[in-house]
Amino acid sequence: MVRHTGRVTNTERTLILLRHAKSDWTEFVVDIDRPLAERGRGQAPLAGRWLAGRSGPVDLAIVSPAQRARETWELVSAELATAPPARLDDRVYAASADRLLDVVREVPEDVGTVVLVGHNPGMEVLASHLAGQDVIMRTSGIAEFCVSGPWPELDAATATLRAVGRADGHGLG
């Protein structure tokens, strides 16, 4: 079970990395247009229910423009009491960890919790960098970090891994 302290300081923020759910490889389509597989359509709502059970709302979602990432966020956000604003960001598609870090560092200061919906290997490398340990990001995987400073200062020194895994029983509880 994931526990949260419920205490938030003026500079404490939450970063949630969410890898897109399982995609469909049965037909040849351009990578960015690949949809979710049936399994992915089942995974994503579980991640949404986990997010809905957290303490506090999500303020912003930054989503890759890839079809599978957009579908993932649509299914995840449908499980939330109030869906936050979502912003498609072309830089998230096929991004390196450094590029993803740059995207998060640009999050407005009034955002307390942000969800970044993207792809491996960038998501896994970013999660591992911030955690200071290997973090596995399977499809529909979540890595939640407490960030102890402003977004522009996000790095391994300001991020603490709070939860990692998948909402289907692979680590999140």
Side-chain angles (χ1 to χ4, degrees):
M1 173 173 247
V2 177
R3 291 185 44 202
H4 296 277
T5 64
R7 294 178 297 137
V8 177
T9 67
N10 288 338
T11 58
E12 185 177 275
R13 304 188 183 335
T14 300
L15 169 63
I16 300 167
L17 302 179
L18 172 62
R19 183 177 170 205
H20 66 79
K22 182 69 177 167
S23 60
D24 185 353
W25 288 83
T26 61
E27 295 182 33
F28 178 79
V29 294
V30 177
D31 184 68
I32 199 166
D33 295 330
R34 198 159 13 97
L36 289 181
E38 183 176 333
R39 187 171 107 198
R41 288 190 295 276
Q43 289 175 330
L46 295 173
R49 286 195 279 283
W50 183 83
L51 282 176
R54 294 180 60 259
S55 60
V58 174
D59 300 310
L60 175 67
I62 302 172
V63 183
S64 162
Q67 180 70 24
R68 60 195 178 276
R70 290 183 289 127
E71 288 179 18
T72 297
W73 181 246
E74 182 179 315
L75 293 167
V76 167
S77 64
E79 299 295 325
L80 305 177
T82 303
R87 184 177 81 210
L88 294 181
D89 191 320
D90 291 340
R91 297 173 297 169
V92 178
Y93 177 68
S96 67
D98 288 338
R99 170 73 52 94
L100 294 171
L101 189 57
D102 289 342
V103 169
V104 177
R105 285 178 174 160
E106 293 174 7
V107 168
E109 283 304 305
D110 64 338
V111 171
T113 299
V114 64
V115 175
L116 180 65
V117 184
H119 313 268
N120 269 351
M123 296 290 277
E124 195 168 81
V125 173
L126 177 58
S128 297
H129 167 73
L130 293 175
Q133 65 188 47
D134 287 341
V135 173
I136 304 300
M137 297 286 293
R138 292 178 173 85
T139 55
S140 221
I142 296 170
E144 179 186 45
F145 293 88
C146 174
V147 179
S148 64
W151 295 118
E153 296 175 16
L154 176 63
D155 64 17
T158 63
T160 303
L161 183 64
R162 267 198 290 221
V164 65
R166 264 195 333 220
D168 62 358
H170 290 88
L172 283 174

